[in-house]
Amino acid sequence: MVVISCDGRGRSLCRSLTVVTAVAPIALFDDGRCGLGPLSDLRASFDQRLGILTAAERALMIGAPVSLWPGAELGGCTSERHASVSVGDLGPAAEVLCISGACADWSRAVALSQGEAIADSDGGLVACRLARDDAARVLARAGHGAIAAQECAARVNMATPTEEPIRSPWSLLNALDAAIRADAALVASAGGQRRWRAGCGVADGLPAGVTVVGDGLVSVHERAHVWSGTVIDATSGPVVIADGVTIRPGSVLVGPVAVLAGSTIAERSLIKARSVIGPSCKVGGEVGSCVFHGNSNKVHDGHLGDAIVGEWVNIGAGTCNSNLLNTYGEVMTRLDADAPISRTGRNFYGCTIGDHTKIAILTAIGTGTSIGTGAMIAVARPPQVVDRFAWLSPERSASFRWPKFEEVMRAAMARRGAAPGPALLDRLRHVHARATAGS
């Protein structure tokens, strides 16, 4: 990549991660309180994209020995997703740095000394650094956040409860700006990078006709293909373009923003600030303050703002979402049909879209919408809460039958040379059975 300058916070965090974790393995745990609605159906908190990186990717990138501690329901999916990473086993380490997978800011966690811990404002455990046997006891209670913290408090000095993990889609969006900036410095330190300082005009090392504006961090992998006519605006934050990315002509990227490995940005796209396009996605149109997990498509024109999109999602041409009420008021939402109404504390909040969802062309997604895993939407205006595995068409509203869903899922994944593993299939069948019971 090509690296241009860096903000102080990113350098500081990068140094802390390198120094502290060099001597302590990291155990990432899911305490079951990362309430991202349908986005939590198939992935533990440490596999949620809470910035450029997931917690698991961040830990692996810095080279520390890593173990993962999901809840029981996601154990199989976690093992299948991380075939080369230890799941539920600390190994022979003398001491362990335990970090909640929902913690987006590791700056205090990595600075802990043995016998120290951090709790959130509810008393739940965020991070601790303990001798191995003590860590094993705490991780065994990690699904009971406050209990785990109390287990820890009997042995350690609990820090001031100022570290707030991600507990909702809107808290993720609130933390996104800072998380992208911190992760950008870490990603930019990886291999395959070239370096120069930005300024107005054409940056040396990119094709003629690519314009880089601003003096923020810009990181473009040597195997990325950035076409002439692209504008990279790092005036207000970093821009990261990863390995194998293609940026088609006429696109504008406004930092802080990241486009991850193997993704394509379509012609004349506008990727606005606080956006992360996950690996192997195809994205176009106008996108701002959005997180895409991997292998999702929104390649045609249409607006998507303040939204979180799962894996293997397809959003049809001309589909747009609203991220601001006509009243300019606070957005209220439900993540599930039977959940209470939640205050987001935000005037800008668009939608959450669960994994394996398919959305037809010219769909208007209302402010604060939650779309469940596996939904098929072919109506012009879906409800604010779309059930998991809903089948919505002008002719009928029903449930997506499992054989048909599996057929569509396999066809979509095969287009990228992938197929669902047995653990993912088992988990999806379980979520489907629960969602369609009685229908």
Side-chain angles (χ1 to χ4, degrees):
M1 294 197 174
V2 183
V3 179
I4 305 171
S5 86
C6 185
D7 66 286
R9 183 181 179 280
R11 282 198 302 269
S12 176
L13 176 58
C14 198
R15 283 197 299 268
S16 296
L17 288 169
T18 302
V19 173
V20 175
T21 58
V23 294
I26 296 176
L28 297 173
F29 63 88
D30 188 339
D31 63 9
R33 297 196 297 154
C34 186
L36 300 184
L39 296 165
S40 298
D41 286 347
L42 306 180
R43 67 180 64 81
S45 59
F46 45 72
D47 284 321
Q48 303 289 349
R49 199 162 294 284
L50 305 183
I52 297 177
L53 304 169
T54 68
E57 288 171 346
R58 184 182 299 123
L60 291 168
M61 179 170 283
I62 61 181
V66 179
S67 63
L68 303 174
W69 297 77
E73 286 191 334
L74 292 172
C77 284
T78 300
S79 295
E80 196 167 76
R81 187 184 290 267
H82 299 281
S84 61
V85 179
S86 175
V87 177
D89 183 5
L90 287 177
E95 66 173 2
V96 181
L97 177 61
C98 305
I99 305 177
S100 167
C103 180
D105 182 355
W106 287 14
S107 55
R108 287 190 62 200
V110 298
L112 290 173
S113 299
Q114 185 171 337
E116 292 183 335
I118 302 169
D120 63 21
S121 58
D122 295 326
L125 183 65
V126 175
C128 61
R129 186 166 178 149
L130 300 171
R132 185 193 181 283
D133 290 346
D134 289 340
R137 281 190 286 272
V138 168
L139 290 168
R141 312 294 292 276
H144 309 277
I147 297 175
Q150 292 164 10
E151 184 88 4
C152 217
R155 298 175 173 79
V156 304
N157 300 315
M158 192 66 66
T160 304
T162 58
E163 304 297 322
E164 296 302 317
I166 303 301
R167 298 299 185 205
S168 64
W170 42 96
S171 65
L172 191 164
L173 293 172
N174 290 342
L176 197 52
D177 187 284
I180 293 173
R181 293 173 191 275
D183 284 347
L186 185 60
V187 172
S189 68
Q193 295 163 326
R194 299 166 292 174
R195 298 171 183 266
W196 79 85
R197 177 163 293 280
C200 295
V202 177
D204 182 26
L206 286 176
V210 175
T211 301
V212 177
V213 180
D215 58 1
L217 177 142
V218 173
S219 180
V220 182
H221 198 278
E222 61 189 14
R223 287 192 294 266
H225 189 181
V226 183
W227 283 72
S228 177
T230 298
V231 176
I232 298 173
D233 182 356
T235 303
S236 300
V239 176
V240 173
I241 300 173
D243 190 1
V245 166
T246 297
I247 310 294
R248 298 286 300 168
S251 296
V252 178
L253 280 65
V254 182
V257 68
V259 185
L260 302 187
S263 286
T264 297
I265 303 300
E267 291 86 346
R268 303 182 308 280
S269 299
L270 173 57
I271 311 299
K272 299 193 293 189
R274 298 178 302 282
S275 293
V276 178
I277 311 303
S280 300
C281 290
K282 295 181 180 180
V283 173
E286 180 185 358
V287 169
S289 192
C290 291
V291 175
F292 282 75
H293 287 77
N295 296 292
S296 288
N297 294 340
K298 185 216 152 314
V299 73
H300 301 290
D301 286 345
H303 167 263
L304 194 68
D306 295 277
I308 306 172
V309 180
E311 292 180 300
W312 300 104
V313 172
N314 190 74
I315 299 174
T319 291
C320 295
N321 83 315
S322 167
N323 60 340
L324 175 68
L325 296 169
N326 285 343
T327 61
Y328 300 92
E330 178 187 358
V331 179
M332 315 285 278
T333 189
R334 284 188 174 94
L335 289 178
D336 296 292
D338 57 354
I341 294 176
S342 296
R343 302 183 69 108
T344 67
R346 292 176 61 93
N347 297 111
F348 288 92
Y349 175 66
C351 59
T352 59
I353 303 177
D355 293 37
H356 297 281
T357 289
K358 307 295 183 283
I359 303 175
I361 65 170
L362 299 176
T363 303
I365 302 173
T367 319
T369 294
S370 177
I371 299 176
T373 300
M376 196 292 295
I377 299 174
V379 294
R381 180 66 184 266
Q384 189 180 43
V385 180
V386 177
D387 292 334
R388 292 162 174 84
F389 297 96
W391 178 287
L392 305 182
S393 71
E395 295 76 27
R396 64 191 179 105
S397 296
S399 295
F400 210 153
R401 294 181 297 107
W402 174 261
K404 185 62 176 177
F405 169 80
E406 184 177 349
E407 176 188 334
V408 172
M409 174 181 62
R410 287 185 180 276
M413 295 179 74
R415 287 162 60 93
R416 285 184 166 91
L424 175 60
L425 283 171
D426 285 348
R427 176 61 182 161
L428 280 166
R429 286 193 189 98
H430 174 77
V431 176
H432 181 274
R434 190 169 57 192
T436 59
S439 63

